[in-house]
Structures are given as structure tokens and as C-alpha cells.
Amino acid sequence: MKIMSCLSSNFKFVFLASTVIWITVMSSSLASVDASNVTTIGTGSVTYDRRSLIINGQRKLLISASIHYPRSVPAMWPGLVRLAKEGGVDVIETYVFWNGHEPSPGNYYFGGRFDLVKFCKIVQQAGMYMILRIGPFVAAEWNFGGLPVWLHYVPGTTFRTDSEPFKYHMQKFMTYTVNLMKRERLFASQGGPIILSQAKNEYGNYENAYGEGGKRYALWAAKMALSQNTGVPWIMCQQYDAPDPVIDTCNSFYCDQFKPISPNKPKIWTENWPGWFKTFGARDPHRPAEDVAYSVARFFQKGGSVQNYYMYHGGTNFGRTAGGPFITTSYDYDAPIDEYGLARFPKWGHLKELHKVIKLCEHALLNNDPTLLSLGPLQEADVYEDASGACAAFLANMDDKNDKVVQFRHVSYHLPAWSVSILPDCKNVAFNTAKVGCQTSIVNMAPIDLHPTASSPKRDIKSLQWEVFKETAGVWGVADFTKNGFVDHINTTKDATDYLWYTTSIFVHAEEDFLRNRGTAMLFVESKGHTMHVFINKKLQASASGNGTVPQFKFGTPIALKAGKNEIALLSMTVGLQTAGAFYEWIGAGPTSVKVAGFKSGIVDLTASAWTYKIGLQGEHLRIQKSYNLNSKIWAPTSQPPKQQPLTWYKAVVDAPPGNEPVALDMIHMGKGMAWLNGQEIGRYWPRRTSKYEKCVTQCDYRGKFNPDKCVTGCGQPTQRWYHVPRSWFKPSGNVLIIFEETGGDPSQIRFSMRKVSGACGHLSEDHPSFDVENLQGSEIEKDKNRPTLRLKCPTNTNISSVKFASFGNPNGTCGSYMLGDCHDPNSASLVEKVCLNQNECALEMSSSNFNMQLCPSTVKKLAVEVNCS
């Protein structure tokens, strides 16, 4: 019998015939679908009623996965889609990113990472459906919430309300996008993969702030969307007044209690957050696999029919696409597929098993109303059963502290705290959300040589040929303008750059006490955000910033002034624009107050003084990071790159890293800036450390409701050290790496690293559900019982090279820190070595033929194993 597997494998796809869809709202009956009630076009149909979407006359229970096409690269898309499908996913969901597609009015771009058509066709070729969230507002921690910055400066425009200019441009873009999809025949009504489209996004959270204009806008948006005649249903998430036939949907960590506005609409969860985003300087949030699985099981237990993970693959905020402000370049999101495209174990595997078991319940779930049974104060069962014999039960323990034993149909079932057991036949537990049987992969960032050669195989970046270009602190070239007082940073740059120079001067008499006593004056600055570097007479004196919670900041710093005229140059920087909130487009940035203390005459207020402005950096204006300018004479060769030099551009030529593992740039020894490879924007880097005094966890308790501060790590560490560089950006040799460093660092310490799976570990108890989940059939579940089996697998082209830990008995600890308990089978290690050594994968069945099952008879025995891969 094939053992239970939650691991990825080589996978071949069969193209599935596409469906054609038209919208018809069905009656509330859950009886068998009558095809005569379905309006069709071409070869297929889609309808919905209160229980589910109905595609081609069949009810569908759908698992969906968010993968944002511009947060990866086209070379990664097929692998990401394959891995999602192998994980039990039916649907790929994505936003459409307006500001990436219309960078200036009427100029559309759908190429490169923004090739939406190519992405949709890859999904279609995999035989999967799509949910296209056109929006066009996305939030998504994406710069300016996905809306173009130029739109803010169209006269009379207010975002997301009954504003004629806004509605005109929104409808124009949505119509363009819909027509593009129609031209490529990508809607299901044309035989394509798109089965749902979304208009607007999470507007209900802010609608009241816009008053009657907000209500009019919401209704207009729905009417406009329906007028597009896509032939597929439209949805609106978090929209509490969505008009018929638009379906309102839920976004949250938990949506089991969500109910659509209309009793005739299905229960759809557009955003289940399996993790959370990060901001520079903040801790790293994690959501346990057990809790994600619990939330999904509860949703389907309570009548859900479409569930989407936001995100299933988070990816990377390349270039300046991150919003926030302060959102990191990494958008990993602790998702089932990590930023680099690798399955994250155990989360990916645990959810894969869950999806398989839920699909075994599909017929019973979608064709029957549940019977709710109380099993205790915080325990309950929902039973879906019909006369045909189909029966599925979900047994839930909502107690977040205590395990419980419950009686269901005269049988006792053990329910761990905060868990759901799924019984596809109403008898046997095929899956429990709290019992993770999948391996945990041990993933490392392994440093690699940048330029190995036959004569110098260990050559590193110190020995590369470097060139530099030094920026001028303050106004370079001709000033853009001079004005008394401060201008808003964003209104001035219009987000064409992160950088804006504010410069003024102050005269100091030689008699000032701080000069005579060799002391310093004090500079006091207040800013709306986001970050700032202070230069006095061309020298860096201080840096300050806000954070992802409060972008505004104020600070005081001693400054070294000289007798006579002194130049004060403030380099103000944005770190991504605001992404959401009522009237968010009006939130500004930049200094609001500058004062100098220490003078005999008192505090000198420079706020209203004449300030001279320069937009951007000289290097940006020269476009020296672009591939066609890499041989420009502005670069100066140097034998060693200068260290701790602010406002410096660095260039080096490197070979492609060996192997095929994902690659990242290790910037731990740098300050803050941006990076490019061959003209491609890697993004902002900033190894900003979190406070070591904040609270972090070493082990997360999955029990109880999750929030982003519950399970955080990384205290005292950089929020982001490594920066993803897609393999497809490399040439075999002659790759040009460009770094712009704002504050100073040591570029000789920059390294490329490969993301490698170096080992695997897993633990299993003898009371773990013991079914071959891969091959389970609902009608034959009783026949598929076997012994709990732990399966371990190394990456392709590697084998299990050694056994680091093995114990059958009552071991304790977690992956990477297992320890022997007081009950241990001494033959554990030799058995594991015999079965697993030099194998790519192995299976360890908890049976008497392998282990001493008579050991510790009063103990629920466990198996814990950790192996190395090479």
C-alpha cells in the first residue's frame, strides 16, 4: 500500500477542457443541479446558489491560491503554478496592478513581470481556474495601493468615491483590461480559465468615511463591472452593501462565521491570511500550519465553498513596488510557497493533506444542509448526510487550552485543543488540523563565491574589479527651485524617485560659545516621514526614520558647525507610499520643522527660511543603473571599494552562481539603498535591526486566535538580510551588479547566497490519523487504514547523507532541537539509517516490524527523526 505523502514530487499535467460560463443566480434549493435551469453560451455554464458555484452543471468546492504575477518573474510562473496544483489547489487568484500597467495616462504596459496574459495562459495550461481581482485598487502592501500616482494629480480627483475624474479613469482601465482578456479568450465564457472577477477591494471598511459619495460610488462600481459583460460572476470583498448579483466575500484570519448579505449567495473567502507581511525594523510574524488548517476546516465545516489563501506565494516587491510605507522588499508572507518558490514544509504539506480530505467530502458538503450537534461546551459536530449514503462530519474543539474526548455516534474521539477532525465517512478520522505528519524542511542561506575561476576557485567579491560614482551631498547641477518653507515630498517628486534634497544655509559667528568651547550645536527636525539623512557641509551627521506603524518622526542630533556659512542638506526619502485607508492619497511626507539650538541669541527656526530643492539623485538622472549606461565614463575604477562612504554607487561584474538553487544577495554589512543586476531592479535593501528588547518566541503555540503579534521572531536581528535575485536575470558571465549605498557600508562583504534545503525532520505519534491520503476514496476509507508513517524527502539530486537524530518512544523538542525522553528504543537510529541512508526519500512505518511497540505501554509513543541532505 502506498504510504501517506504530503511531499512534492515530479508532476505531469493534463490539459483540462476549459469551461464557458454565464451568470445565473439559482434558487436556494440544494437539490441536484438541473442543467435546464442554466443559461449557457458555447460549451459550458456557471451559476451559483446559496451553497456553491456551479460549473458545467456540477457543484464545485474550490481551493484557491493567491500568486501575484509581478511579485515573481515569468521564468518562475510555471513552477509556482505546478507546485500550487500539486498542493491540492484548483484556482489561482491574482490582483491586477493598475500602476504597473498604466505608468502614465493612456500608456499601457503588459510585458515582463506584468505580462498578465502570459500568466493567465500558464494557469490555463495547467488545467486550473482563475479568479481575476481587477479592482483596480488592490491595497496588498503595494505602492499607493496599486493606483497610479499620476491619477492623484488629475484635477478634481479624489480616490475611491463619487469623483468623476476617478471614475472615468477607473472605468477606462478596467474596460481596457477586460477587453484584453476577452481578446485572448481568457474568460470562462470564452473557454478560458477566469471564473470570477472582482470589482473594488475592501471598500466596505472605509465607505462610511466618504458619506453619500461612497455609497453612490460603490453602486456605480458594481453597475460598471456588470456592464463589462464578462460572462462570469463578479465579487466584492468586505463590501457590506454589494448589490445583486454581485457576491460579497470575506477577508480575515477566520471566516467560518461569515454570512453573505443575501441568502442566495455562496459563502466565499477571498483572503485567508496564512502569514503576514513585514516592515523594515519590525519583527518577523509566523502563522502556524495547525492554525491555518483549523481556519480552513472550520470554514468548510460551516458551509464555505470557495477558499483562497492570501498569499499562497508572496514573492518579492522588486524595485520600488513595496508600499506601506516601510514594507520590506521580501513579501514572503510565511506562505505555503516561500519567496524563492520552494514549498514551505510543513505548512505546504499539511495543507495539501487537508485539501485532499476536504475534497473527499465535496459531494456531501455541497448537496446537503448540515446537522449541528453539541459535543460539549466548546465542542461541536456538523454532519452532512443524504439518502444516497454520502456522509461527512467535522468534529471541532474550539477550546484553546484543553484537549477533549467526545462521543460521536457512540464512538469516542480525541480532539486536541483548537482543532478539527474530518471524518469523510462519518466514522474514521482521516485528518486532524492539529496533528502535523509532514516533514519540516531545514532551509539555509549558503554563501557562494561570486566569481570562481579555474586558477582562483575561491575568488570572492573582494578581488573583483570595482568602479564607483560619488554623489554630491545637497544640490547637484542646477537646483529645481527655491521656496520659503517646506514643500511636501510626495507632491514634489510625484514618486518618480524616493529621494528629495532640502538644502539651506546658516551663518555662524566665531564668538558663539559652542565654537569657542569646541562644542556642538543641536539640530531638531520633525518630519511627516519616512526617513532622512542629515548632511552638514557635505558630511553625514545623522539619520532618522519612522516605522511601519508611525511613519512620522522627530529627532535631535548634535551637529558640527564652523564659523561662517554652513550648508544644511536634508536628504528626505520615502520607503513606499501609503497603501490603504480613507483618503490615503493625501498623506504626505517630508520635513515640517527644522530648528537649531545652541546660539547665544536662542533657538534659530529655519522652517520658514529659503530652501533650495533638488529632485532625485544625480546617478538616477544619469540612469547609470541601466544596462545601456554601464560603460559610462562617469564610473571611476578602484582597486578596493571604499568603505563607510555615504551617497556612493558601486559597480562590479560577476559570474552567475553555480547550481540551480534560488539566489539572494546578502546585504548584512551594508547600510541602506537600492540594488540592480543587469539593469533589473532587485529593490530597496535595508538590514534594519529590530529592537532586542521586544518580545519574541522560540516556539509558537498554535492554540487560540491568531494575530500578527502572536508568533514573532527576529528580535535584535535585521528584518531582511537577504534579497531575492531571480536566476533568470543572470547571464553565464559578465553580470553587472549595481549598488547605491546611502549611509555607508562595506561592499567587499556583499555575498550571493543560495537558498538550500540541507535536511529534513519530522515527528509522528501512534495516534496520528493513519490513512493513505493520496489515494483515499470516500467509499473505501475503511479499507485504507494503515500504520502511521513518517516520510522524509531530500531535494532532487540529493540524498539522505546522515541521520542526525532518531528516537522512537517519547522524544521531546522541535525540529533542530530534538532530545531523548525517558522512553527510547535504542535501535531507532540503526533502523532509520538502514531504511533512509543514501536514499532521496524514505518511509518509516510505526509498526512492530520496525520498532518495539511494547515499549512504555502507558505512553502514546512518538517517532522523531532529523536527517541531513547532500
Side-chain angles (χ1 to χ4, degrees), residues 51 256 267 294-304 358 365 370 372-373 380-384 393-398 419-421:
R51 192 61 191 90
D256 48 287
K267 183 170 176 174
Y294 173 84
S295 71
V296 175
R298 286 287 289 166
F299 176 71
F300 287 110
Q301 176 179 355
K302 293 300 180 181
I358 287 176
L365 285 172
L372 175 63
L373 302 174
E380 65 183 19
D382 284 274
V383 184
Y384 295 81
F394 290 71
L395 279 54
N397 181 8
M398 291 90 76
S419 78
V420 178
S421 285

Side-chain angles (χ1 to χ4, degrees), residues 499 671-676 683-687 739-743:
Y499 304 99
K672 179 179 179 295
M674 297 189 72
W676 296 260
R684 300 183 182 99
Y685 69 84
W686 191 5
I739 306 292
F740 173 65
E741 172 57 46
E742 297 170 11
T743 61

Side-chain angles (χ1 to χ4, degrees), residues 12-284:
K12 294 183 179 179
F13 289 95
V14 178
F15 180 77
L16 302 181
S18 301
T19 55
V20 180
I21 294 180
W22 187 250
I23 308 171
T24 303
V25 181
M26 300 292 287
S27 71
S28 60
S29 171
L30 289 184
S32 299
V33 178
D34 182 356
S36 64
N37 292 332
V38 178
T39 304
T40 64
I41 293 180
T43 60
S45 66
V46 65
T47 64
Y48 65 79
D49 63 10
R50 67 183 177 91
R51 192 61 191 90
S52 70
L53 294 179
I54 304 165
I55 300 175
N56 288 341
Q58 294 185 338
R59 296 192 180 280
K60 291 291 184 180
L61 184 151
L62 298 172
I63 305 292
S64 177
S66 289
I67 299 175
H68 293 164
Y69 52 100
R71 281 177 158 147
S72 54
V73 294
M76 294 175 64
W77 294 343
L80 294 173
V81 171
R82 269 198 310 273
L83 195 53
K85 184 168 184 177
E86 190 179 343
V89 169
D90 312 291
V91 185
I92 299 297
E93 179 269 1
T94 186
Y95 282 125
V96 178
F97 296 84
W98 186 1
N99 55 11
H101 291 299
E102 193 177 3
S104 60
N107 295 313
Y108 298 102
Y109 177 71
F110 282 81
R113 299 196 332 270
F114 290 90
D115 193 340
L116 176 60
V117 169
K118 181 175 183 177
F119 183 74
C120 291
K121 289 184 176 180
I122 288 171
V123 174
Q124 183 179 28
Q125 289 161 9
M128 301 175 75
Y129 297 122
M130 280 200 73
I131 298 174
L132 192 67
R133 301 173 74 182
I134 303 175
F137 167 80
V138 301
E141 294 72 57
W142 186 268
N143 195 52
F144 221 41
L147 300 185
V149 173
W150 57 258
L151 183 59
H152 178 51
Y153 299 100
V154 173
T157 298
T158 301
F159 287 2
R160 309 187 77 202
T161 188
D162 190 18
S163 162
E164 289 303 322
F166 180 78
K167 292 192 298 181
Y168 167 79
H169 286 285
M170 172 178 167
Q171 182 169 2
K172 182 182 175 185
F173 175 73
M174 288 190 70
T175 301
Y176 185 94
T177 303
V178 167
N179 287 342
L180 176 63
M181 298 296 101
K182 287 181 178 178
R183 187 163 68 244
E184 299 293 334
R185 305 192 63 79
L186 290 170
F187 285 106
S189 54
Q190 305 169 295
I194 302 170
I195 58 170
L196 292 174
S197 293
Q198 178 177 294
K200 306 198 309 83
N201 185 54
E202 299 180 327
Y203 189 64
N205 298 339
Y206 306 106
E207 182 177 310
N208 288 340
Y210 294 93
E212 289 302 314
K215 292 181 175 25
R216 291 194 301 271
Y217 165 69
L219 292 174
W220 168 86
K223 183 178 179 181
M224 184 270 290
L226 293 168
S227 73
Q228 299 289 333
N229 296 318
T230 62
V232 301
W234 286 85
I235 59 175
M236 287 182 169
C237 64
Q238 301 293 88
Q239 189 61 45
Y240 312 119
D241 56 1
D244 284 334
V246 176
I247 306 169
D248 57 305
T249 67
C250 181
N251 293 357
S252 183
F253 288 113
Y254 307 92
C255 281
D256 48 287
Q257 299 303 311
F258 166 75
K259 293 182 179 179
I261 299 168
S262 167
N264 296 319
K265 295 176 182 177
K267 183 170 176 174
I268 297 176
W269 192 357
T270 35
E271 292 190 16
N272 179 1
W273 306 315
W276 202 242
F277 56 85
K278 298 192 293 185
T279 58
F280 285 116
R283 299 167 298 173
D284 195 356

Side-chain angles (χ1 to χ4, degrees), residues 323-559:
F326 293 96
I327 298 296
T328 55
T329 301
S330 170
Y331 199 63
D332 180 86
Y333 221 87
D334 198 35
I337 302 177
D338 73 13
E339 176 181 5
Y340 300 86
L342 302 179
R344 171 173 276 115
F345 287 100
K347 186 173 287 186
W348 182 89
H350 192 49
L351 296 177
K352 176 185 178 181
E353 288 190 356
L354 170 65
H355 302 157
K356 174 65 176 179
V357 173
I358 287 176
K359 284 303 183 80
L360 294 177
C361 307
E362 182 173 17
H363 176 80
L365 285 172
L366 299 185
N367 291 281
N368 301 282
D369 287 318
T371 300
L372 175 63
L373 302 174
S374 174
L375 304 178
L378 291 171
Q379 295 76 38
E380 65 183 19
D382 284 274
V383 184
Y384 295 81
E385 188 171 19
D386 62 27
S388 70
C391 187
F394 290 71
L395 279 54
N397 181 8
M398 291 90 76
D399 190 321
D400 61 8
K401 294 181 177 61
N402 303 301
D403 293 8
K404 293 293 181 180
V405 175
V406 299
Q407 295 291 318
F408 174 69
R409 295 193 170 187
H410 311 295
V411 178
S412 295
Y413 294 90
H414 174 257
L415 295 178
W418 200 254
S419 78
V420 178
S421 285
I422 303 175
L423 290 63
D425 61 353
C426 289
K427 298 177 183 177
N428 294 281
V429 176
F431 184 89
N432 179 271
T433 59
K435 295 182 177 181
V436 178
C438 294
Q439 74 174 38
T440 296
S441 293
I442 301 170
V443 182
N444 297 317
M445 300 300 291
I448 53 178
D449 300 317
L450 288 179
H451 198 151
T453 64
S455 59
S456 179
K458 292 298 183 181
R459 187 176 183 183
D460 63 19
I461 200 166
K462 293 181 181 179
S463 60
L464 298 179
Q465 294 298 312
W466 286 92
E467 296 178 72
V468 298
F469 172 72
K470 193 82 169 64
E471 291 275 342
T472 298
V475 174
W476 50 269
V478 179
D480 288 319
F481 60 93
T482 299
K483 184 181 183 297
N484 289 340
F486 295 123
V487 298
D488 179 77
H489 180 128
I490 299 170
N491 286 340
T492 305
T493 65
K494 294 182 171 57
D495 198 42
T497 172
D498 282 356
Y499 304 99
L500 179 61
W501 284 104
Y502 296 71
T503 63
T504 192
S505 62
I506 186 171
F507 190 86
V508 178
H509 292 284
E511 307 80 56
E512 292 292 346
D513 289 342
F514 62 80
L515 290 181
R516 296 174 63 186
N517 298 328
R518 297 184 178 180
T520 59
M522 288 292 295
L523 178 74
F524 295 95
V525 178
E526 297 182 15
S527 175
K528 293 180 288 185
H530 305 152
T531 68
M532 180 181 290
H533 304 313
V534 176
F535 293 83
I536 305 296
N537 298 322
K538 309 296 184 184
K539 293 183 178 180
L540 179 63
Q541 299 280 290
S543 299
S545 69
N547 56 54
T549 304
V550 182
Q552 302 86 4
F553 62 92
K554 56 184 177 181
F555 69 99
T557 181
I559 55 174

Side-chain angles (χ1 to χ4, degrees), residues 787 825 831 834-835 845-853:
R787 292 285 185 178
D825 184 343
L831 181 280
K834 179 181 177 181
V835 174
E845 186 181 81
M846 295 176 67
S847 64
S848 57
S849 61
N850 291 329
F851 299 102
N852 181 5
M853 302 301 292

